[in-house]
Every structure is written in structure tokens, then in C-alpha cells.
């Protein structure tokens, strides 16, 4: 009955505990594990309440074909609980403590005051379909719906409170996660940096917070697919709801959908590339986006997994590949003529761990490797061929310059310093301190002119040339540079041509000549096929190379003067230390174009 009484006049009891049952086939969900007080036996439903209970029925039957783990929520109790919370929020705050009518969850909420987001997460779970979230993963976007449905059946929701760790760096990882609700932070103890510092590759910089993950992001696939420990820790910044996929079903999916393998491999390469470039010292290189890495360098490398004992670099041979050691350990081994005697073991100079890289010295200096490098455990590496290293990686702004500065040390060249943002800042600081920065400013201004030349009109380029002349070349100007008198005269004459007598007559003669040319070029039907027509292209002025010779003069002047003094200064020593310059490198056999 509408008043809550049964047909025999007795008051029907409200059911807030276990499941109410009209019969065994009609059940209202009794999901009270998370939000109810201890379980109570089910109470009989009065006959008059049958119609009200019918409104709660699902029109489907759900069975479990195999074992399942469920989160049980009582819909009616949950709705009442949410309503009570809204009612309390609308009332004035009181310090009287919890009301006697509060249930166990109400009391916990009043004590901790931080459950609002958790309630939202539960509401999301009640209305969510795991498959919808799996489809958000980029590499599953084109996966057949039937496979997504199967994978969803093997996935589950997981709740994490703010501050709890989802993944711990160095621990085994057997799940891939997708974020449905909340934010997480990715951080590392800088294990890669520390191990690389031990090997001399880089200088350790301490703990790093790598990024923040939001709704729709995913993580954990590298450990699952590569069978390697977690490479970073992931911590819940807020209360979070995640979907987790275990290793076995995820790998099985890759087997039944082979096209996913290439996509996942590409994503793994981008992740490994990101870790490598974050270890470098140039700000420009460290800040390369994942999108740029995927477009520019991902296709130039490959992931290689090797077992212990595999030889990666051979002593006394040119390196054919560059390696970045993402996981595992390798040994640096020295063979000498004396140790080649029978039963004489080679000398193990060092053990390199995750974060080390090798092969670049041989490739960049074009000299043979002086040691052998062999895997001492199962390793996962990023491999780049010598050809790709030179044609792709060394074309990245500052990449080649950084490694040549680190390899050459005190023998590095000015062009390397000028092409590396950190090294350039040290050089600029030095010349500013000597009040001799005008040469560097002029050099940079010419670089800027060349970069913009294509996009500007001739008139705009001429205006820029005049501005450069007035600031750096005119006698007595603000930052006059010391170029040769012959070069100065050439530039002055071209920018400011002298007035000549008979200029008007010369222009008239030129116009008449052009008219005669036009008459000669009149179209002749009989000449079609026998005559070649070429469009007249007017030369641009000023040209892109207008200042090239003067810039080269200033570069030579800086190299002999400013740069030679810079290499004797404390600023240069600080530069070599800050970029992790290699020590004890034999430079006796390097090519002349690197050493002079």
C-alpha cells in the first residue's frame, strides 16, 4: 500500500540491510559490503510492497560463467545515504558531533572529512562499463570490438586513496592501468641517472617528478610487455579509480591482434627515448616532446633484448651501433696482448647499469673501440645504427655539439659551444664579463637574419640589413665589430650604392632594351616546339648569404681571441663539469677536422 502497510494492516518493515526478495528469480541488488553496518538476515517483504519492489527489478539475468570478484553495493541504501549527505550539507554547521541517526559510514565521514571523492568514484563504478575505458587507450583504438569485450571481461576496477602508491619503482609489474577518475604523479629515485653517473655518462641530479597523469591516461605497459621491474613509481595525488589489465590477457591480446604489436613497440620506443633525452644536459634536448620523438627519431631505432653473454661492442673495431641500456647490466672488458695468452682471463674494468649508453665515442670520433662491452645479465636496450645516428640523431639541434664537447673536453671547438644552449650561456657570460660581447651579438644577429630571410620580403630584409649595419658596422656605432676594411667597404657599397651621373639616361636605355626584347619574344606559331621559353627570374636582394663572409671573419676572430681565453678560465672548467665531460679519453688518433 502507498502508506507502507500491508493488506492485513501491519506496517511493512523498511529493508536497509540485506537483500529483499519477492522470489528467487527477482532480486534487488543487495550490495552492502562497502557501505553498510554488519550483515543482518534478510527481512520478509510485505505483500503490499510488492509493486514498490518491482520497480527495483532488472529485466535481465546475470550469471557468472567462471569465478568473479564483485563490488557489492545496495542501490537503495546508497541512494538514501547520498540524500542524507546532501541534507546535511544544506544545514548549518554544528559542533555537536555526529547525530545518533548516522550509520557507520556517516560517522567515519564526519571523522575524516575526506570521503566526498570516494563516493563519486563509487557512483562512477556503478554507471561504468570497463570496455568504454579500454577503448580510450591509444594503441587499443583500432582493436576489434569483440577483442575489447573479451579483454574487458578480464579487467577490473581498482580504488586508490590519495597518497597511496599504485606502482613502486624497482618492483615487479604485472598490470597495465587506465585512469578513469583522479590524478596521479609519476616520480623516480633517479636510478637511471645515478647508475649513469657511476659509469661516468652523466652527473646525478637527484629525485625527479616526471609528470602528472590524468583521466584517460594509461601506464605500466612497459613492465608488462618487457618483463622488467617498474621504472618509476606512480602515486595517487587524489583518490583514484583505475581499470587494471593483468599481464596474461594483455599479452594474449597482442597475439590475436598482431597489428597492435607494432603500435605498442612504437610507444615503448618513445617512452625509452624520453628517458634517454631527459638524461642529457641541453635544455632543448631534454624538452623534446613525445610527439616530436615519435615523428623524428622513433623510426631510427629499435628495441633489442639480449641474454647474458651477448657481445655488443668489439674491442679494436669500429662501433656499428649506438646503445642505450634501459634495463640490465653490461661489463666493460679490456683485452691486452699480454692477456691473450692461453688461460689468461680478460680484465673487467667496470660494470654499467641501467641508464648507461655506449658506442657514441667510436661513431663520433671515427676511431676503433678500446674495450669490449658484453651483457652480464638479460638486458633491454635501445639500438641505433651508425648511419641513423649520424643522419638523424646528430641533426637534432645541440645533440652532436653536446657529445663532442663531452668527448673532446679541453680540445672542443668554438662551433660546438655555439651550437649548445648550456655551453653558449657559459661563453656568453665570459665575454660579457670581459666587455667583449659585440662579436657574439653580431654573429647571433646574422644567424637570426638567415633564419627569417625566406619568410620576409626583399624590402624587409633590406631594412634588417641596414639595422645590422648601423648597430655593428658603421664607424663609431654602438657595438662596432672589427672586420677588415675591404669587407666593410664591400658591404657599404652594396647597401648604399653611390649616385652616378647620367643615371636617368642609363635607366632610359635599359627600358628601351627591355622593349626590344619583348618584341623579339612575340609568339610565333611556326616556332612552337623548336623554341624553349624560360621565365625570367629576378634575383633577390639582399641575398641570404649577404653577411656570410663578414660572419666568418668574426668567427675566426672570436676563436683566436675570446675563445682561447675562455678555455683558460674557470667558466670553462665549470662548463665541462656541468655537462659531464668524459675523463681519460684517448684523443691521439682522432681525425684532424675534429682536433684542429
Amino acid at each position: 500500500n502507498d502508506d507502507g502497510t500491508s493488506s492485513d494492516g501491519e506496517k511493512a518493515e523498511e529493508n536497509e540491510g540485506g537483500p529483499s526478495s519477492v522470489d528467487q528469480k527477482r532480486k534487488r541488488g543487495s550490495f552492502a559490503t562497502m557501505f553498510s553496518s554488519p550483515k543482518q538476515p534478510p527481512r520478509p517483504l510485505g505483500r503490499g510492497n510488492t509493486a514498490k519492489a518491482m520497480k527495483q527489478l532488472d529485466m535481465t539475468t546475470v550469471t557468472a560463467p567462471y569465478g568473479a570478484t564483485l563490488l557489492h553495493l545496495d542501490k537503495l541504501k546508497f541512494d538514501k545515504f547520498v540524500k542524507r549527505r546532501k541534507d546535511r550539507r544544506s544545514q548549518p554547521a554544528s559542533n555537536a558531533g555526529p547525530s545518533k541517526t548516522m550509520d557507520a559510514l556517516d560517522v567515519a565521514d564526519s571523522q575524516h572529512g575526506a570521503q566526498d571523492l570516494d563516493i563519486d568514484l563509487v557512483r562512477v563504478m556503478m554507471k561504468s562499463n570497463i570496455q568504454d575505458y579500454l577503448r580510450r587507450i591509444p594503441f587499443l583504438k583500432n582493436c576489434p570490438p569483440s577483442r575489447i569485450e573479451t579483454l574487458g571481461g578480464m579487467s577490473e576496477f581498482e580504488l586508490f586513496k590519495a597518497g597511496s602508491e599504485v606502482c613502486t619503482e624497482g618492483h615487479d609489474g604485472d598490470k597495465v592501468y587506465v585512469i578513469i577518475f583522479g590524478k596521479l604523479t609519476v616520480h623516480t629515485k633517479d636510478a637511471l641517472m645515478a647508475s649513469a653517473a657511476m659509469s661516468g655518462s652523466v652527473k646525478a641530479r637527484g629525485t625527479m617528478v616526471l609528470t602528472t597523469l590524468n583521466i584517460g591516461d594509461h601506464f605500466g605497459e612497459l613492465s608488462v610487455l618487457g618483463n622488467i621491474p617498474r621504472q618509476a613509481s606512480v602515486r595517487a595525488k587524489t583518490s583514484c579509480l583505475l581499470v587494471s589489465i593483468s599481464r596474461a590477457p594483455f599479452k594474449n591480446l597482442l597475439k590475436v591482434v598482431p597489428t597492435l604489436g607494432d603500435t605498442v613497440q612504437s610507444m615503448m620506443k618513445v617512452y625509452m627515448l624520453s628517458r634517454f633525452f631527459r638524461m642529457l644536459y641541453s635544455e632543448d634536448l631534454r624538452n623534446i616532446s613525445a610527439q616530436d620523438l615519435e615523428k623524428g627519431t622513433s623510426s631510427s631505432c629499435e628495441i633489442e633484448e639480449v641474454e647474458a653473454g651477448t657481445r655488443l661492442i668489439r674491442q679494436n673495431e669500429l662501433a656499428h651501433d649506438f646503445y642505450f641500456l634501459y634495463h640490465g647490466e653490461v661489463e666493460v672488458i679490456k683485452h691486452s696482448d699480454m692477456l691473450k695468452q692461453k688461460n689468461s682471463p680478460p680484465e673487467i674494468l667496470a660494470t654499467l647499469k641501467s641508464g648507461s649508453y655506449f658506442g657514441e665515442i667510436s661513431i663520433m670520433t671515427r676511431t676503433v673501440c678500446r674495450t669490449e662491452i658484453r651483457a652480464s645479465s638479460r638486458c633491454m636496450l635501445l639500438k641505433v645504427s651508425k648511419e641513423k645516428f649520424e643522419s638523424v640523431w646528430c641533426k637534432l639541434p645541440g645533440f652532436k655539439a653536446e657529445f663532442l664537447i663531452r668527448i673532446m673536453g679541453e680540445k672542443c671547438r668554438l662551433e660546438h659551444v655555439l651550437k649548445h644552449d648550456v655551453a653558449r650561456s657559459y661563453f656568453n657570460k665570459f665575454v660579457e664579463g670581459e666587455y667583449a660581447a659585440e662579436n657574439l651579438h653580431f654573429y647571433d644577429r646574422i644567424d637570426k637574419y638567415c633564419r627569417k630571410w625566406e619568410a620576409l620580403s626583399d624590402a624587409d630584409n633590406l631594412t634588417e640589413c641596414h639595422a645590422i649595419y648601423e648597430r655593428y658596422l658603421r664607424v663609431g656605432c654602438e657595438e662596432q665589430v672589427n672586420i677588415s676594411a675591404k669587407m666593410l667597404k664591400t658591404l657599404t657599397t652594396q647597401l648604399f650604392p653611390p649616385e652616378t651621373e647620367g643615371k636617368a639616361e642609363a635607366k632610359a636605355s635599359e627600358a628601351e632594351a627591355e622593349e626590344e626584347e619583348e618584341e623579339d619574344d612575340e609568339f610565333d606559331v611556326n616556332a612552337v616546339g623548336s623554341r624553349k621559353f624560360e621565365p625570367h627570374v629576378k634575383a633577390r636582394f639582399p641575398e641570404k648569404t649577404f653577411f656570410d663572409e663578414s660572419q666568418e671573419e668574426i668567427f675566426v676572430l672570436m676563436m683566436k681571441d675570446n675563445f682561447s681565453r675562455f678555455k683558460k678560465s674557470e667558466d670553462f672548467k665549470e662548463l665541462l663539469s656541468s655537462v659531464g665531460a668524459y675523463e681519460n679519453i684517448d684523443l691521439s688518433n682522432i681525425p684532424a677536422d675534429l682536433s684542429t
Side-chain angles (χ1 to χ4, degrees):
N1 298 331
D2 292 337
D3 60 356
T5 60
S6 63
S7 58
D8 57 6
E10 295 179 356
K11 181 80 173 180
E13 295 180 304
E14 284 189 5
N15 182 357
E16 290 189 11
S20 61
S21 175
V22 178
D23 57 49
Q24 291 300 318
K25 293 184 178 179
R26 295 173 176 175
K27 291 186 177 181
R28 175 168 56 84
S30 174
F31 303 149
T33 302
M34 181 176 254
F35 293 99
S36 70
S37 52
K39 293 182 179 179
Q40 299 176 2
R43 301 174 183 175
L45 184 67
R47 292 189 302 274
N49 246 7
T50 300
K52 186 180 293 185
M54 285 288 291
K55 297 179 181 178
Q56 307 293 333
L57 296 180
D58 281 330
M59 297 296 105
T60 59
T61 299
V62 180
T63 60
Y66 47 82
T69 301
L70 305 176
L71 177 66
H72 287 207
L73 301 172
D74 185 297
K75 184 177 185 302
L76 184 59
K77 282 198 67 175
F78 184 72
D79 290 343
K80 287 184 177 181
F81 168 74
V82 173
K83 183 177 182 303
R84 286 198 302 272
R85 288 172 60 84
K86 290 181 179 179
D87 292 341
R88 289 206 308 272
R89 289 188 186 127
S90 64
Q91 296 175 359
S94 172
N95 297 324
S99 168
K100 292 182 179 180
T101 61
M102 290 184 179
D103 58 23
L105 183 60
D106 295 328
V107 175
D109 186 37
S110 65
Q111 291 174 345
H112 300 291
Q115 299 297 325
D116 289 347
L117 189 52
D118 290 341
I119 302 306
D120 290 336
L121 298 186
V122 175
R123 185 181 293 111
V124 170
M125 273 194 293
M126 294 179 69
K127 298 178 180 179
S128 293
N129 184 347
I130 285 182
Q131 287 83 349
D132 294 336
Y133 294 99
L134 295 180
R135 291 187 184 95
R136 296 182 182 181
I137 304 178
F139 56 80
L140 294 179
K141 185 168 54 177
N142 298 321
C143 186
S146 60
R147 302 300 184 187
I148 293 290
E149 294 294 329
T150 302
L151 185 62
M154 294 183 248
S155 307
E156 59 184 17
F157 288 111
E158 293 193 33
L159 274 167
F160 292 90
K161 292 183 178 180
S164 59
E165 280 203 350
V166 181
C167 300
T168 303
E169 183 178 354
H171 290 196
D172 291 336
D174 61 352
K175 291 181 180 180
V176 178
Y177 293 94
V178 185
I179 304 173
I180 296 176
F181 203 98
K183 293 184 177 181
L184 302 99
T185 55
V186 182
H187 52 95
T188 176
K189 297 175 183 177
D190 220 0
L192 286 183
M193 310 298 182
S195 61
M198 291 175 62
S199 68
S201 298
V202 299
K203 182 180 177 182
R205 301 190 189 103
T207 303
M208 294 177 63
V209 176
L210 302 179
T211 188
T212 298
L213 302 176
N214 297 290
I215 296 173
D217 290 335
H218 57 91
F219 58 94
E221 66 274 8
L222 193 61
S223 294
V224 168
L225 296 175
N227 293 320
I228 60 176
R230 298 292 191 191
Q231 300 299 299
S233 297
V234 181
R235 183 175 300 156
K237 189 174 183 179
T238 65
S239 295
C240 295
L241 174 61
L242 311 177
V243 167
S244 63
I245 313 166
S246 297
R247 174 181 281 122
F250 192 70
K251 283 194 168 183
N252 287 336
L253 178 67
L254 297 183
K255 292 179 181 178
V256 297
V257 188
T259 54
L260 287 180
D262 294 338
T263 306
V264 173
Q265 280 279 320
S266 178
M267 295 187 64
M268 291 174 63
K269 285 195 289 185
V270 170
Y271 182 78
M272 295 169 72
L273 284 168
S274 298
R275 294 296 296 266
F276 168 73
F277 278 96
R278 281 200 298 269
M279 296 173 58
L280 302 182
Y281 294 90
S282 165
E283 291 289 342
D284 296 336
L285 295 173
R286 289 211 304 266
N287 294 328
I288 294 179
S289 67
Q291 292 79 6
D292 290 337
L293 289 174
E294 185 174 6
K295 293 177 182 178
T297 57
S298 177
S299 60
S300 66
C301 57
E302 58 185 275
I303 297 174
E304 185 166 299
E305 296 183 58
V306 301
E307 299 299 327
T310 304
R311 184 184 297 166
L312 301 168
I313 298 289
R314 294 177 177 270
Q315 184 176 336
N316 296 325
E317 293 185 12
L318 292 171
H320 300 291
D321 303 287
F322 167 78
Y323 292 95
F324 169 57
L325 180 59
Y326 189 78
H327 176 70
E329 295 184 356
V330 298
E331 292 176 337
V332 181
I333 301 171
K334 178 73 173 179
H335 297 278
S336 66
D337 293 335
M338 294 180 61
L339 293 178
K340 284 185 178 180
Q341 300 176 4
K342 190 175 181 181
N343 300 325
S344 295
E347 180 184 2
I348 299 177
L349 301 180
T351 297
L352 306 182
K353 299 184 179 181
S354 300
S356 302
Y357 42 87
F358 42 89
E360 77 282 0
I361 297 178
S362 174
I363 293 174
M364 302 195 80
T365 62
R366 305 190 288 281
T367 57
V368 298
C369 300
R370 292 167 176 80
T371 58
E372 175 184 306
I373 296 184
R374 183 184 301 168
S376 56
S377 68
R378 181 178 175 275
C379 297
M380 177 182 282
L381 307 105
L382 201 63
K383 175 182 174 182
V384 188
S385 69
K386 176 179 179 292
E387 293 73 22
K388 294 294 185 182
F389 188 84
E390 292 176 335
S391 62
V392 178
W393 289 45
C394 287
K395 300 299 182 183
L396 297 172
F399 184 86
K400 183 177 181 180
E402 171 155 323
F403 279 96
L404 285 176
I405 291 172
R406 295 171 64 186
I407 294 170
M408 303 299 294
E410 295 182 355
K411 292 186 177 181
C412 70
R413 301 174 60 172
L414 176 58
E415 59 261 37
H416 306 149
V417 171
L418 295 181
K419 291 178 180 178
H420 190 271
D421 52 352
V422 174
R424 169 184 276 271
S425 67
Y426 277 94
F427 183 58
N428 184 69
K429 174 185 173 184
F430 174 79
V431 294
E432 292 281 1
E434 285 197 334
Y435 301 99
E438 64 278 355
N439 290 334
L440 182 59
H441 294 169
F442 174 73
Y443 185 91
D444 290 343
R445 186 74 175 265
I446 303 307
D447 274 350
K448 183 179 179 181
Y449 164 79
C450 292
R451 288 195 303 269
K452 292 186 174 183
W453 184 85
E454 293 282 356
L456 298 180
S457 65
D458 286 355
D460 290 335
N461 284 325
L462 184 59
T463 301
E464 176 63 11
C465 287
H466 285 160
I468 293 173
Y469 181 90
E470 290 298 322
R471 185 173 184 87
Y472 300 103
L473 300 175
R474 182 176 54 80
V475 177
C477 64
E478 184 177 354
E479 292 187 89
Q480 184 177 357
V481 295
N482 188 19
I483 63 174
S484 65
K486 181 180 178 181
M487 178 62 63
L488 179 60
K489 182 179 179 181
T490 300
L491 294 175
T492 304
T493 303
Q494 291 180 345
L495 285 177
F496 307 101
E499 293 292 335
T500 59
E501 295 182 3
K503 190 175 183 180
E505 290 79 4
K507 284 187 176 181
S509 300
E510 187 176 338
E512 290 176 5
E514 289 179 357
E515 289 178 4
E516 291 177 1
E517 262 184 45
E518 289 176 1
E519 291 175 359
D520 291 340
D521 288 340
E522 286 182 1
F523 184 77
D524 184 359
V525 175
N526 298 322
V528 174
S530 62
R531 188 172 173 188
K532 185 177 179 181
F533 293 95
E534 294 183 358
H536 176 68
V537 179
K538 182 181 178 181
R540 294 189 61 178
F541 180 83
E543 296 179 347
K544 187 176 182 178
T545 59
F546 185 77
F547 288 109
D548 279 7
E549 292 184 13
S550 58
Q551 187 185 38
E552 180 64 24
E553 277 194 14
I554 292 301
F555 177 84
V556 173
L557 181 62
M558 283 195 296
M559 186 170 59
K560 293 180 177 178
D561 185 17
N562 306 99
F563 190 61
S564 61
R565 293 198 304 273
F566 172 63
K567 292 173 74 172
K568 299 175 183 178
S569 69
E570 292 298 321
D571 289 324
F572 184 71
K573 294 179 181 178
E574 186 178 343
L575 164 62
L576 295 182
S577 175
S578 68
V579 299
Y582 300 154
E583 297 179 357
N584 303 320
I585 300 295
D586 183 5
L587 301 175
S588 58
N589 295 320
I590 62 173
D593 63 320
L594 293 177
S595 60
T596 57

